[in-house]
Amino acid sequence: MTAPAALCVLVTRRLSIDPLPFLRARLGEGCAVELHDSESPIPRADLLARAASADAIVATLSDRIDEELLNRAPRLRVVANHAVGVDNIDLRACVARGVRATNTPDVLTDATADLAFALLLAVARRLREGERMIREGRFTGWAPTMLLGLELRGALLGIFGFGRIGQAMARRALGFGMRVAWSRREGTSAAGPRIPADLQTKVSELSFDEMLAQADAISLHAPLDASTRHAFSAAQLARMKRGALLINTARGPLVDEAALAAALAAGQLGGAGLDVFEHEPKVHPALLSRDDVVLVPHLGSATVAARRAMAETAMAEAARVLLGQEPLHPVSPADR
Ligand code: DGY
């Protein structure tokens, strides 16, 4: 199949691979690639202006693809998100205009679960406090009662959002001898996830309340939508087991960050490991000074292999739609 002439693909951020040869190999030498060649997000005004002539946008999680943008992009046929999360895209508005939306599942599952487990270990074993103690010259020798943490073997990990990444987290936790339970969101009647055969006898489902009350640590892996926004706010944090740990590598707004800071200050929670933030890239100031909180800057999928595969997947999806083929990873409002 040959592509129509003068296609234009807008790539909103510098990626792990050069988009020009990748896209031209698929869409022909006539294809124009508009690249915002920067580590920083494309300014909104620029995004709106450049969307006007785009047939496809390869977007990142910080680009809001909403009615305003879609109204200004009459040629647009596909938004290929360079992410598995699609909360930056108004999927209903895309459907209404016949614009396809795609994401990059699978290729970042292990990288993200690795980071979530790294945060769990770091918080459970108080690595930040220990690191700081050494760097500040306060380590004067081994002591039987110094910086005691949570033993993972036998502890119960609650997983909120039991899709691919939640399941990969479960496998890691089982490997460390943890007990694992997953839960749907509070009050949902939605069908549960399909549990892969290797996990079926090893993990159990708990109600949301049971998970809050029983888990020694809870790791968040749910997508952000209206039903999961602030799933963990003051009321839910207060129902968690006292001293439990909270790990979030999903999306910041799943957690009310001010409520989290208050729960930590009150000793209700024992620590938190955060890769994502409610008002990213801002972090609640009360979290910045806490030794029981490990903070990393949205690094879940940040491995060389995952980021390369994400770039390839997103651009290949854009090319497929422009060539009139079905995308391999379409997302629609019904998936949410
Ligand atoms: C995603 O893919 O949704 C991550 O948050 C970015 O890697």
Side-chain angles (χ1 to χ4, degrees), residues 1-334:
M1 221 175 303
T2 50
L7 285 172
C8 175
V9 180
L10 170 58
V11 180
T12 65
R13 197 79 72 91
R14 182 180 305 149
L15 303 179
S16 282
I17 56 176
D18 183 353
L20 191 64
F22 186 95
L23 287 165
R24 286 200 167 156
R26 284 158 182 77
L27 296 171
E29 288 304 308
C31 160
V33 176
E34 284 273 327
L35 172 65
H36 177 69
D37 190 12
S38 166
E39 290 280 342
S40 309
I42 185 169
R44 178 75 180 168
D46 238 15
L47 174 63
L48 293 178
R50 292 163 94 170
S53 50
D55 298 282
I57 300 180
V58 176
T60 67
L61 52 92
S62 37
D63 307 319
R64 212 164 11 92
I65 309 294
D66 55 6
E67 296 261 8
E68 182 189 27
L69 181 140
L70 294 169
N71 285 339
R72 296 187 192 200
R75 293 167 50 154
L76 191 63
R77 287 161 59 194
V78 52
V79 178
N81 227 27
H82 177 278
V84 69
V86 288
D87 46 287
N88 59 309
I89 304 176
D90 183 337
L91 295 172
R92 285 182 201 290
C94 285
V95 170
R97 287 166 178 77
V99 173
R100 304 299 302 265
T102 67
N103 68 348
T104 60
D106 301 321
V107 293
L108 46 60
T109 297
D110 285 323
T112 307
D114 284 352
L115 190 86
F117 208 79
L119 286 173
L120 174 61
L121 277 170
V123 177
R125 300 305 303 273
R126 305 175 64 175
L127 296 193
R128 183 185 139 77
E129 291 161 87
E131 240 250 339
R132 204 150 75 83
M133 176 186 269
I134 292 184
R135 287 183 195 276
E136 292 176 358
R138 290 183 288 107
F139 177 42
T140 52
W142 185 88
T145 55
M146 187 173 74
L147 291 182
L148 306 186
L150 172 73
E151 173 122 359
L152 292 191
R153 178 165 298 280
L156 178 65
L157 176 67
I159 298 186
F160 179 67
F162 206 52
R164 299 176 188 82
I165 301 174
Q167 292 168 8
M169 180 67 170
R171 292 189 184 94
R172 284 153 178 75
L174 291 166
F176 274 70
M178 296 187 83
R179 293 174 296 125
V180 178
W182 63 275
S183 166
R184 294 174 227 204
R185 59 184 186 268
E186 201 163 23
T188 187
S189 57
R194 195 187 63 76
I195 312 293
D198 68 307
L199 292 179
Q200 271 168 18
T201 56
K202 299 190 181 131
V203 301
S204 52
E205 180 181 4
L206 291 178
S207 72
F208 188 72
D209 261 335
E210 287 167 339
M211 180 184 72
L212 292 181
Q214 295 174 26
D216 298 293
I218 295 181
S219 188
L220 310 189
H221 300 283
L224 173 64
D225 60 24
S227 71
T228 57
R229 184 175 293 276
H230 279 194
F232 289 77
S233 52
Q236 292 76 19
L237 297 172
R239 302 207 304 270
M240 281 174 68
K241 184 170 175 176
R242 193 163 177 84
L245 314 177
L246 188 73
I247 308 300
N248 190 5
T249 53
R251 284 292 182 268
L254 296 184
V255 179
D256 176 339
E257 230 167 70
L260 173 62
L264 288 159
Q268 164 57 13
L269 292 196
L274 305 176
D275 181 42
V276 289
F277 303 94
E278 187 176 359
H279 304 291
E280 209 166 302
K282 294 199 185 90
V283 180
H284 193 288
L287 297 174
L288 291 173
S289 54
R290 293 202 65 86
D291 259 345
D292 51 4
V293 178
V294 176
L295 305 166
V296 290
H298 205 145
L299 295 178
S301 62
T303 66
V304 173
R307 287 288 166 81
R308 185 182 176 91
M310 288 166 73
E312 287 176 353
T313 304
M315 289 193 288
E317 288 291 81
R320 287 181 73 83
V321 175
L322 294 183
L323 290 168
Q325 300 165 356
E326 259 308 294
L328 300 177
H329 307 293
V331 279
S332 69

